[in-house]
Amino acid sequence: MRQKRNKGNLNPALGRRQWKKKVLALLAAAGAMGNMAGCASTELEHRSFPLAVGIDLQEVSEETALERDLPQGQGLQEASSMDGEPGQRDGAAQGKDGQKPGLVVSFDFPDLAQVSEKGNTVDTAMGLSLEGADMYHVEKSYENNTNRILDYNHMKAVVLGEPVLSDKERLRAVLSAWEQREASARNTSLLVGKNSAAEILGLTEETEGSMGKYLEEMLESQKDFKQNKIATVGNLMNQWHNQDELLLIPVLEEKGNRPVIGGYAAVSNFTYRGTLSVEDAMLAYFSQNLLEKFTCEISGNVVEVSGIQADLSIRREGELPVAELKISGKGKLKTGQINSFSEQRRLEKKLGEQLAADLAETAKRLQEELGIDITNSFISVGGQERELYGIYRGRPDVYNSKVQWVFQVEVSMLNWE
């Protein structure tokens, strides 16, 4: 029921005071909203949005050691002016007074003149490089030098120099900083620079703008993988915390002033094991059922295998793990032709035997050379062989050094009817 107003109890002065309070409250709220909008606009103008970041180790030299003692912020330089290798391969090089080298972090920014609707830009160079003891000091140095805050919301790729990937302590620190930063996405693509990350980010002459955007488009153009199986920062974080899965990271090298994938860095048990050739990496992906299509050559002809299915089962032989892998698919000749049913059957048999032999040879060689299991079977042990899992629990390196394989491949050719 609607309540009637009691006019006799209304105090005009009180009403005016309450009305005034309401008006002032509304004006204050409007002002706050305006300030917030202005603040957001100001913040946008004072933010820098790197599309890619390259992380290297400093070179170990007397000059570098002395540079650590300079005031914070000194050492800002153009990425294109960096020369030389980014550090020692073992990641354990020592600087002055036994200190480990710091980081060299290269930033790739968008060409704001291309993306700004009004053509208004800020004075942010497209490529900059900074040195610091760790990511925190590098970012603070950037803010001190430019009076801007780094915003990683639009990051496309992180490129690590091989020495950084080899140094567990340094790598943990980089991942920890990334994990604690709210704006850093775990699904950011992860790559490795063969010589240095800075060198890769500096290859912008032929890429028509930002290297981060170019790397994003390059990775998206790879259609051979199921579910966009590209390594991410989150994958490496999972390695850091769980240490049980084989991770293959594309390795970039320069070719014709452009970055190309020249191999894949293998990380197992959060340890950088070495680099696989592209051919070996594709066999590893093939064995893990991660490819939409796989291309191989047999008897001088090129065959494309699609509709790939891989079934893995694990059994015990004493205390030895045996991984049995059955792979099937549909084959199509890309070169040559099949002229008869008997010729088709011979080709299918030969193709299956060759692929099984290639898998067995590659698995054994990489086990001996790098201590890895290309089939990544350790992650399946707990769900298939509990007693075996009890033997190797927490010891993926031991498992990977002892696992044996049985490969069986069947390919049905589609060219002949």
Side-chain angles (χ1 to χ4, degrees):
M1 179 180 295
R2 185 175 179 180
Q3 187 175 2
K4 294 182 179 180
R5 177 180 297 176
N6 188 343
K7 296 182 179 181
N9 294 332
L10 181 62
N11 187 326
L14 179 61
R16 286 193 295 271
R17 287 198 297 270
Q18 290 177 339
W19 178 83
K20 186 176 181 180
K21 287 182 179 179
K22 289 181 180 180
V23 170
L24 290 174
L26 288 172
L27 290 173
M33 292 178 66
N35 290 335
M36 289 175 63
C39 181
S41 177
T42 302
E43 285 186 1
L44 185 62
E45 293 176 358
H46 288 86
R47 290 177 182 267
S48 293
F49 300 92
L51 298 184
V53 166
I55 305 175
D56 294 302
L57 291 184
Q58 288 178 341
E59 290 186 12
V60 179
S61 64
E62 183 177 353
E63 181 181 355
T64 299
L66 292 173
E67 194 169 297
R68 293 197 195 95
D69 298 328
L70 293 174
Q72 190 183 68
Q74 294 193 21
L76 182 66
Q77 56 185 335
E78 294 293 334
S80 59
S81 68
M82 295 179 59
D83 298 318
E85 297 294 322
Q88 301 292 329
R89 288 286 175 181
D90 59 8
Q94 299 292 318
K96 185 180 178 182
D97 301 327
Q99 295 181 7
K100 277 196 172 185
L103 298 179
V104 178
V105 181
S106 305
F107 297 95
D108 171 73
F109 296 101
D111 185 352
L112 296 180
Q114 296 179 2
V115 300
S116 174
E117 293 182 0
K118 298 181 179 180
N120 297 324
T121 63
V122 293
D123 294 329
T124 301
M126 289 185 64
L128 293 173
S129 181
L130 282 172
E131 296 182 356
D134 49 38
M135 290 299 296
Y136 172 80
H137 287 92
V138 168
E139 290 167 352
K140 281 297 179 183
S141 180
Y142 181 88
E143 293 171 9
N144 292 341
N145 275 281
T146 65
N147 195 30
R148 292 191 181 89
I149 299 173
L150 288 165
D151 190 318
Y152 296 97
N153 277 301
H154 301 281
M155 180 79 71
K156 307 298 183 183
V158 172
V159 184
L160 300 177
E162 281 185 287
V164 177
L165 192 62
S166 302
D167 189 327
K168 285 186 178 181
E169 180 180 350
R170 184 71 66 185
L171 190 57
R172 287 192 189 98
V174 169
L175 292 176
S176 178
W178 190 271
E179 198 170 47
Q180 294 174 26
R181 193 184 300 113
E182 293 182 1
S184 300
R186 291 173 62 95
N187 64 350
T188 303
S189 297
L190 179 66
L191 305 109
V192 174
K194 182 177 181 180
N195 296 320
S196 76
E199 179 179 316
I200 296 300
L201 264 62
L203 297 173
T204 56
E205 185 176 346
E206 300 293 331
T207 58
E208 300 177 355
S210 164
M211 179 55 64
K213 185 65 176 177
Y214 181 84
L215 292 175
E216 179 188 41
E217 293 173 351
M218 182 184 72
L219 294 174
E220 288 179 348
S221 69
Q222 296 190 12
K223 303 300 183 183
D224 291 349
F225 294 93
K226 293 181 178 178
Q227 299 176 350
N228 193 26
K229 185 57 179 179
I230 301 298
T232 66
V233 174
N235 293 146
L236 191 56
M237 285 181 180
N238 292 338
Q239 260 280 346
W240 171 30
H241 295 303
N242 302 320
Q243 303 183 8
D244 59 358
E245 185 174 0
L246 175 64
L247 177 61
L248 299 180
I249 309 171
V251 177
L252 299 175
E253 57 186 48
E254 181 271 334
K255 187 174 182 181
N257 290 325
R258 293 176 182 268
V260 298
I261 297 176
Y264 287 79
V267 179
S268 178
N269 198 17
F270 199 61
T271 301
Y272 173 43
R273 305 293 179 170
T275 301
L276 277 64
S277 67
V278 173
E279 293 76 15
D280 286 346
M282 290 305 105
L283 281 171
Y285 285 126
F286 183 54
S287 72
Q288 296 177 43
N289 200 24
L290 296 176
L291 294 180
E292 290 285 356
K293 56 184 179 180
F294 176 80
T295 303
C296 58
E297 185 173 338
I298 181 170
S299 302
N301 295 319
V302 177
V303 178
E304 181 182 274
V305 182
S306 59
I308 302 168
Q309 296 294 328
D311 296 317
L312 174 69
S313 60
I314 302 172
R315 58 181 172 83
R316 289 180 59 185
E317 286 189 1
E319 292 190 353
L320 289 178
V322 178
E324 294 185 343
L325 190 62
K326 296 181 179 180
I327 303 176
S328 62
K330 305 293 184 181
K332 183 177 182 180
L333 281 177
K334 305 301 287 185
T335 63
Q337 61 182 3
I338 300 173
N339 298 313
S340 66
F341 181 73
S342 59
E343 186 177 341
Q344 173 186 334
R345 297 297 295 170
R346 286 194 299 270
L347 182 60
E348 289 173 344
K349 184 174 185 297
K350 188 174 183 180
L351 182 58
E353 291 174 350
Q354 177 179 306
L355 286 175
D358 288 346
L359 286 165
E361 184 277 328
T362 302
K364 187 63 177 176
R365 172 168 49 82
L366 293 179
Q367 182 186 55
E368 294 174 352
E369 294 177 358
L370 305 181
I372 64 174
D373 169 20
I374 66 169
T375 67
N376 202 23
S377 62
F378 181 76
I379 62 173
S380 302
V381 174
Q384 295 199 27
E385 225 332 318
R386 295 301 298 177
E387 292 184 5
L388 199 61
Y389 179 71
I391 296 173
Y392 293 101
R393 181 177 183 179
R395 300 192 300 161
D397 284 347
V398 178
Y399 174 94
N400 291 336
S401 69
K402 293 182 178 297
V403 63
Q404 300 177 4
W405 307 272
V406 176
F407 294 103
Q408 180 181 338
V409 182
E410 295 182 357
V411 178
S412 301
M413 299 302 299
L414 302 175
N415 294 70
W416 189 83
E417 295 180 359

